[in-house]
Amino acid sequence: MRPRIVFLNNQGFGSAGGGVTILRRLAADLAGDHAVTVASYDRAAPGYDGVRQVTLPPAPSPGRLWRLAPLLRARHLLRVAPIEEIAAADLVVALDCHFAAALRRARPRRLIYVSLSCIPRQEWFGGGGSVPGFLQYAWLERSVALRAEVVLVSSRTHAAELRRFEWLPRLRPVVMHPAFPREASSERPPAPDIPVILSAGRLEPVKNFAAIIGLADRLRDVRCRFVVLGDGPLLADLRARAAAADLGDRVNFSGGMVGIEAELARASLFLHPSRYESFGIAVFEAMLAGLPPVLSRRSPLGCREILQGGISACLVDFDSPAEAAGAIRSLLADPARRDAMGDAARQAAQQALALDYVGQFRALVTDLLARKTGLA
């Protein structure tokens, strides 16, 4: 009988984002010789015939209890998660701390917690955070981390923040940069007549995409166009702000990730003003495409661990729009420097790929399953 592995996440294969990228890669790899189940809120997506997909009922709106939303989602998952299947699995891989209560009840035989982000840090410092939300997320993620035999994080920055913000001073997680090869050709077509400055990610406060509007305003005299791929709660507001600033023809908020490969291929720069990233898979994909990333030098960004400021990345202070705009202006005016930085970024990405995230994860799984059967 093949070992049974259950993945738990809020998003399934039908969604987009860094966490879903990790889920897809790991589940698809293990499905070849394991019985893999993915439980999420998403409907089953086509193209994953080797993986059993379980759709969980969506969580109800918290209504007036919105301040308790994290704990309410955890209580909902306690009611709807496949507890018996989690308990019977040879290994459970949790990517969402909202399953904390369900995991406490199920008591899985082996548990790996793949922390996608230090959620209290992200929620609080991303803007709009609250003390109750911070404490709830800290408790939920801490609970799962303490129960897991292996905690996997995306960077040393990520590990340090779990220890600091979730009161886990003795935590020594496994650090693996989630670096995956591109699925499409890396050949680049000729550059467009007007340079494209590309950004991509979920449109939420922590990503700080509002900074792009201010930068575009300061660069009105420069021939360039800003393209922001992604959806999220701030989409309508960002579009309205761009229109109010008379930048609708220079700043395009697409509302989705469709066409990201084509945009990566023809862009000149990758602009990522995020205030926090446990790693930054979108940045990594831009690096593989040979795009110079423009990143914050002040914010905690795990991807900076594989980059060098001034060589493979341009580091700026996005709280100083004049400085950031000046750096972008300089890069656009110097194609040779831009190309050299893009080449260095691609080389750094290739070095990260050589560490083989999926292979390392498979080795962790093999080791844990061998311990269970007494073979190690």
Side-chain angles (χ1 to χ4, degrees):
M1 175 183 285
R2 297 191 302 169
R4 294 164 297 179
I5 301 179
V6 175
F7 284 83
L8 303 173
N9 194 34
N10 61 328
Q11 295 177 305
F13 297 140
S15 295
V20 176
T21 297
I22 293 173
L23 175 66
R24 287 174 181 157
R25 299 281 185 159
L26 298 183
D29 174 71
L30 293 172
D33 51 355
H34 299 77
V36 174
T37 296
V38 171
S40 74
Y41 291 129
D42 284 3
R43 294 181 179 179
Y48 298 90
D49 295 336
V51 179
R52 176 170 167 262
Q53 300 177 61
V54 175
T55 301
L56 304 176
S61 171
R64 295 181 179 179
L65 299 177
W66 61 270
R67 289 183 179 85
L68 299 177
L71 290 182
L72 291 176
R73 283 195 288 270
R75 187 177 71 170
H76 169 73
L77 286 170
L78 176 62
R79 295 170 176 170
V80 304
I83 299 296
E84 293 183 2
E85 187 169 356
I86 293 171
D90 295 294
L91 172 67
V92 174
V93 182
L95 294 87
D96 183 355
C97 67
H98 290 103
F99 284 91
L103 291 168
R104 181 185 292 261
R105 174 173 292 181
R107 297 180 179 274
R109 301 175 189 180
R110 290 286 183 264
L111 174 62
I112 296 177
Y113 177 47
V114 181
S115 176
L116 302 177
S117 174
C118 180
I119 302 177
R121 171 67 161 94
Q122 176 177 314
E123 293 293 320
W124 179 263
F125 293 94
S130 66
V131 172
F134 178 93
L135 294 175
Q136 289 170 79
Y137 278 120
W139 182 83
L140 288 170
E141 190 161 34
R142 187 175 190 274
S143 174
V144 179
L146 289 173
R147 185 169 295 276
E149 289 182 78
V150 174
V151 176
L152 180 61
V153 296
S154 300
S155 62
R156 296 186 300 276
T157 299
H158 188 177
E161 300 225 314
L162 286 185
R163 287 191 287 266
R164 177 184 177 190
F165 291 99
E166 295 174 15
W167 306 290
L168 293 168
R170 297 182 181 179
L171 180 69
R172 294 297 180 266
V174 176
V175 178
M176 289 165 37
H177 298 308
F180 305 108
R182 298 177 69 200
E183 298 177 351
S185 171
S186 60
E187 294 183 5
R188 302 195 67 191
D193 293 336
I194 299 179
V196 173
I197 302 173
L198 180 65
S199 300
R202 182 163 171 77
L203 305 184
E204 55 189 359
V206 72
K207 300 297 185 180
N208 193 32
F209 286 130
I212 293 175
I213 297 173
L215 294 175
D217 183 52
R218 289 176 177 268
L219 294 170
R220 288 181 188 268
D221 61 311
V222 177
R223 293 182 71 252
C224 65
R225 187 166 64 93
F226 293 79
V227 174
V228 185
L229 302 182
D231 201 350
L234 296 183
L235 176 60
D237 177 68
L238 290 171
R239 283 176 170 170
R241 292 175 66 173
D246 195 25
L247 292 167
D249 59 337
R250 292 176 61 85
V251 183
N252 175 28
F253 291 94
S254 72
M257 299 294 283
V258 176
I260 186 170
E261 289 294 340
E263 292 292 352
L264 283 170
R266 66 196 190 98
S268 298
L269 294 174
F270 189 81
L271 180 62
H272 199 66
S274 181
R275 298 190 183 280
Y276 174 77
E277 293 288 351
S278 59
F279 180 65
I281 290 180
V283 177
F284 184 80
E285 291 176 346
M287 293 168 60
L288 278 179
L291 285 183
V294 181
L295 310 171
S296 169
R297 68 165 179 267
R298 299 179 58 188
S299 302
L301 305 175
C303 56
R304 283 215 314 264
E305 295 173 11
I306 63 172
L307 289 164
Q308 290 182 278
I311 297 175
S312 52
C314 178
L315 305 181
V316 303
D317 180 1
F318 285 103
D319 289 329
S320 176
E323 175 197 321
I328 294 171
R329 185 188 300 272
S330 176
L331 281 171
L332 291 177
D334 192 344
R337 178 178 170 229
R338 193 170 67 239
D339 290 345
M341 187 174 288
D343 289 342
R346 184 188 288 111
Q347 292 175 16
Q350 293 291 348
Q351 291 174 3
L353 277 181
L355 298 177
D356 188 8
Y357 185 98
V358 172
Q360 289 186 76
F361 189 83
R362 173 174 279 273
L364 287 175
V365 168
T366 300
D367 179 62
L368 284 180
L369 293 177
R371 289 187 212 170
K372 181 188 77 67
T373 57
L375 298 178

